[in-house]
Amino acid sequence: MATHIGYGGYSPVDVAAQWYFSSDDLANTPSQCSSEYSSPDEKALTPEDEQERRLRGCNFIHNVVQRLNMHQFVASTACVLFHRFYMRQSLAKYHHYMGGACVLLASKVEENKRGLKEISRACAHVALKGKASEADKIHETWERLLKRQEIVLLESCCFDLEITHPYAAIDALAAESGVPVFIAKAATAHVNDCLRSTVCLRFRPSVVAVAALYLAMGIHAYGFAGNLFASRAVELPANAEREVELCVMDMLDFYQREADAEKQQQQRTH
């Protein structure tokens, strides 16, 4: 599990609040905004471009984690770090291969460490799409890159490594409400899928957990007579019902974008 850190006299809740954003915030990220202080290379991206680059970065993270046979928590924490980083920095300035540094840092946070050389080789291999001979030639370049990027990542994330995922809340809600295991597993899969989107920047883990469970119930046509909003096992915000509704909509939007992208890819190949 992620390390919990408090600093400067603030409680963990106060520290965590800086990492949740409104839809307006997400429409005005560093990637989508340019200014007189930006370098010529830092051109503003469209929302669609930013979504695509965030998706590529998270896919890169998952592929590296899978190649290293690391725990899902490493991929989840790395994706959250990745999304947080790009709320402070632009994708026009920092390539989505920043995901490699996110894996390196997440492996330490989640105590599932791999050596720098091992992670650099995996990053090179994934970046070159499995061309082993070429990957072996550039792994030292990746080592140097990861060392530099890890420092930038830590600074941009304010050295705040407190990351809570929705998994424990899903388990607690399922146990309390008698939700079957297959629904809880489906909800967990939805959480993992949507880490490739900005859901983790919009909603707190408890809200994501409830949304994922209700989404899983709807997809599997599971008749549920209970009320997750009445839970005593998980603390929910006062406006939980509206937040969960918005979260489910964001999740469905993500799946729709994925389906549309797959359809376009199929059309291009025919």
Side-chain angles (χ1 to χ4, degrees):
M1 297 295 288
T3 305
H4 295 274
I5 298 173
Y7 59 89
Y10 291 94
S11 71
V13 173
D14 293 326
V15 173
Q18 70 177 310
W19 298 117
Y20 296 103
F21 302 89
S22 67
S23 56
D24 287 341
D25 293 328
L26 291 171
N28 292 279
T29 63
S31 299
Q32 295 179 48
C33 299
S34 59
S35 74
E36 59 183 308
Y37 302 105
S38 301
S39 70
D41 293 331
E42 291 180 65
K43 297 178 181 178
L45 304 181
T46 65
E48 294 74 22
D49 285 340
E50 181 173 9
Q51 285 177 351
E52 176 62 24
R53 294 193 194 190
R54 284 181 182 269
L55 179 63
R56 288 180 187 175
C58 290
N59 285 338
F60 179 77
I61 286 169
H62 278 87
N63 288 335
V64 170
V65 168
Q66 280 188 333
R67 181 166 181 80
L68 292 170
N69 196 29
M70 300 169 84
H71 197 281
Q72 172 62 38
F73 269 95
V74 176
S76 300
T77 295
C79 284
V80 173
L81 289 169
F82 180 85
H83 287 303
R84 289 181 176 183
F85 177 80
Y86 288 110
M87 293 307 291
R88 300 287 170 85
Q89 304 290 347
S90 172
L91 276 153
K93 181 177 181 180
Y94 291 97
H95 192 277
H96 67 261
Y97 284 164
M98 175 61 71
C102 294
V103 172
L104 177 62
L105 184 55
S107 73
K108 299 172 185 177
V109 172
E110 297 299 343
E111 299 180 357
N112 191 199
K113 292 177 65 177
R114 297 290 190 277
L116 175 62
K117 183 174 290 187
E118 194 174 359
I119 293 177
S120 68
R121 286 182 183 277
C123 287
H125 192 279
V126 172
L128 291 170
K129 296 179 171 54
K131 298 176 182 176
S133 59
E134 294 182 31
D136 287 339
K137 295 176 184 176
I138 66 166
H139 78 87
E140 291 183 358
T141 302
W142 268 96
E143 282 187 36
R144 293 191 294 271
L145 179 65
L146 292 179
K147 287 178 181 178
R148 292 197 304 271
Q149 287 186 335
E150 185 180 28
I151 295 171
V152 176
L153 175 62
L154 279 165
E155 290 175 344
S156 297
C157 291
C158 306
F159 294 87
D160 178 10
L161 302 180
E162 181 187 358
I163 296 175
T164 302
H165 297 294
Y167 307 122
I170 288 174
D171 291 342
L173 287 163
E176 179 187 40
S177 304
V179 173
V181 172
F182 80 93
I183 292 294
K185 286 185 175 181
T188 298
H190 293 321
V191 169
N192 292 340
D193 289 343
C194 291
L195 281 165
R196 295 173 170 86
S197 74
T198 54
V199 164
C200 64
L201 297 176
R202 288 286 313 277
F203 307 101
R204 292 181 179 273
S206 58
V207 170
V208 177
V210 174
L213 282 165
Y214 275 127
L215 179 59
M217 292 176 194
I219 289 174
H220 290 275
Y222 175 73
F224 179 63
N227 180 12
L228 297 181
F229 295 106
S231 173
R232 295 183 178 180
V234 173
E235 184 177 353
L236 292 167
N239 61 339
E241 292 192 23
R242 178 56 177 162
E243 286 282 286
V244 167
E245 180 184 1
L246 291 171
C247 187
V248 170
M249 290 171 61
D250 276 10
M251 289 177 162
L252 290 173
D253 284 346
F254 167 74
Y255 283 124
Q256 186 61 57
R257 290 196 303 272
E258 286 287 276
D260 291 344
E262 184 176 352
K263 185 177 180 180
Q264 290 176 2
Q265 180 63 31
Q266 290 175 348
Q267 289 173 347
R268 284 195 294 267
T269 56
H270 291 312

